[in-house]
Amino acid sequence: MNKINKVTGSVQAGHMDFRIGQAEDKDAALIRDLLVETATWMNAAGIEQWHPQQFTEELIQSYLREREIFLCMDGDVPAGMFTLQSSDPDYWGELNDESFHYLHRLLVRASYRGIGLSGALIYWAARYSREQGKQGLRFDCWDQNRKLNPYYESLGMVPQGKGTIGERGYILYQMAPDVYRSV
């Protein structure tokens, strides 16, 4: 049974109610399982964005130290997760600005896809970021993901530039200020 001790908020998607809570050290195995499960699905679907072997126990421990990790729960069942951090110089370079929150590792488990949960989580992250005094919400997406990039733009994310790490290209997104203020 998976319980979140610190319920931070809630979202609705597909006529369902979900609780959002901040992960703790005890959740490390669950976080890793969710990331590996999603990476395995992505690879099987031909999406070369995440790889199961990248999500080592050491990496998850670094996430727990350096980021806020949020679990989205349907009762005691994990439905999704994402992380927030106050700086992302690896992707944003000179545009990095600690007055923003940077969203990473957004995932929705297979049985919850298609109901709008990822959008609900992004908007929740924006509200949370506003409450924390952040100027806006930013993230990046692999430039070859032909499904997610248009979807993110439909949610009010505005491209801010492009970059590469190694041979992988990505698009930088920032939530439009009017959307950020209104969600």
Side-chain angles (χ1 to χ4, degrees):
M1 186 159 341
N2 298 296
K3 296 226 183 245
I4 49 178
N5 290 332
K6 183 180 174 189
V7 175
T8 311
S10 63
V11 295
Q12 288 187 321
H15 305 291
M16 297 177 70
D17 294 316
F18 298 89
R19 290 174 301 118
I20 297 175
Q22 196 160 356
E24 300 173 339
D25 289 343
K26 68 176 181 62
D27 301 311
L30 171 61
I31 293 163
R32 185 172 183 270
D33 289 347
L34 290 170
L35 290 163
V36 167
E37 175 185 298
T38 301
T40 301
W41 171 83
M42 291 170 109
N43 286 196
I47 303 168
E48 295 291 326
Q49 191 166 336
W50 296 357
H51 300 283
Q53 65 274 17
Q54 82 186 69
F55 297 111
T56 63
E57 291 178 20
E58 294 79 19
L59 182 64
I60 304 309
Q61 288 302 317
S62 75
Y63 288 176
L64 285 161
R65 282 190 310 275
E66 300 164 5
R67 305 175 182 202
E68 293 179 273
I69 303 174
F70 295 92
L71 296 169
C72 174
M73 305 293 288
D74 176 15
D76 292 335
V77 178
M81 66 163 278
F82 63 91
T83 72
L84 289 174
Q85 57 198 63
S86 291
S87 184
D88 192 5
D90 291 343
Y91 284 88
W92 285 79
E94 293 179 4
L95 298 175
N96 188 59
D97 182 339
E98 292 186 9
S99 69
F100 286 85
H101 256 153
Y102 296 85
L103 185 143
H104 282 280
R105 301 300 180 216
L106 173 66
L107 69 84
V108 172
R109 295 182 84 190
S111 56
Y112 296 97
R113 292 186 190 129
I115 62 170
L117 184 55
S118 61
L121 292 175
I122 290 170
Y123 289 152
W124 186 91
R127 287 189 298 276
Y128 177 83
S129 296
R130 266 198 340 262
E131 291 168 4
Q132 300 301 307
K134 295 295 184 179
Q135 181 175 312
L137 183 67
R138 292 175 161 180
F139 60 85
D140 61 86
C141 185
W142 180 42
D143 64 0
Q144 298 301 306
N145 196 321
R146 305 216 188 301
K147 184 176 180 181
L148 283 182
N149 286 300
Y151 175 68
Y152 291 148
E153 291 182 31
S154 77
L155 295 176
M157 302 305 291
V158 179
Q160 301 295 301
K162 294 182 178 188
T164 57
I165 291 184
E167 295 181 17
R168 165 167 265 132
Y170 58 89
I171 300 172
L172 299 170
Y173 287 104
Q174 180 176 310
M175 185 172 280
D178 60 323
V179 175
Y180 185 72
R181 286 189 300 274
S182 69
V183 294

